[in-house]
């Protein structure tokens, strides 16, 4: 099965990592219920002060619908003051059997 992989790396402002984690809880819960979502996780680095959303989507259309959803837009508004920088990679992937 082909899928879309999204890696959204967040560099929090000083002391704001916990605030981002807190406001992401509703986003994660709601996103996992969306049609077209395969997986959605927030990972915390043990080596640096960063958080990374790792997302797996069935199609570009499913990802576009997610980006227009109220919970996605709400997260953007609520987290904006806590984020120093964010980089996003969107990758078309093929699942391999090894």
């Amino acid at each position: 099965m082909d899928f879309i992989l999204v890696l959204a790396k967040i560099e929090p402002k000083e002391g704001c990592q916990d605030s981002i984690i807190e406001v992401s809880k509703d986003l994660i819960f709601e996103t996992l219920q969306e049609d077209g979502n395969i997986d959605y996780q927030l990972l915390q680095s043990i080596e640096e002060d960063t958080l990374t959303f790792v997302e797996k989507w069935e199609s570009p259309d499913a990802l576009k619908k997610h980006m227009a959803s109220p919970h996605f837009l709400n997260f953007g508004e609520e987290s904006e003051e806590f984020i120093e920088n964010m980089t996003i990679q969107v990758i078309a992937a093929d699942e391999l059997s090894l």
Side-chain angles (χ1 to χ4, degrees), residues 80-94:
E80 183 177 26
E81 67 183 289
F82 306 126
I83 295 174
E84 186 70 40
N85 189 39
M86 181 186 296
T87 56
I88 301 172
Q89 293 178 288
V90 180
I91 303 161
D94 296 322

Side-chain angles (χ1 to χ4, degrees), residues 42-62:
L42 180 61
L43 306 179
Q44 184 176 12
S45 174
I46 61 171
E47 296 180 358
E48 54 188 31
D49 189 27
T50 61
L51 300 165
T52 302
F53 281 101
V54 180
E55 311 172 27
K56 193 173 174 183
W57 296 92
E58 290 179 358
S59 68
D61 286 340

Side-chain angles (χ1 to χ4, degrees), residues 61-79:
D61 286 340
L63 176 57
K64 287 178 188 175
K65 286 180 185 176
H66 166 67
M67 294 174 66
S69 69
H71 49 272
F72 179 82
L73 298 172
N74 189 47
F75 172 78
E77 291 174 8
E78 289 183 349
S79 65

Side-chain angles (χ1 to χ4, degrees), residues 14-27:
E14 178 102 19
C16 291
Q17 191 175 70
D18 290 342
S19 297
I20 295 169
I21 292 169
E22 186 60 33
V23 299
S24 72
K25 289 178 180 177
D26 184 57
L27 171 68

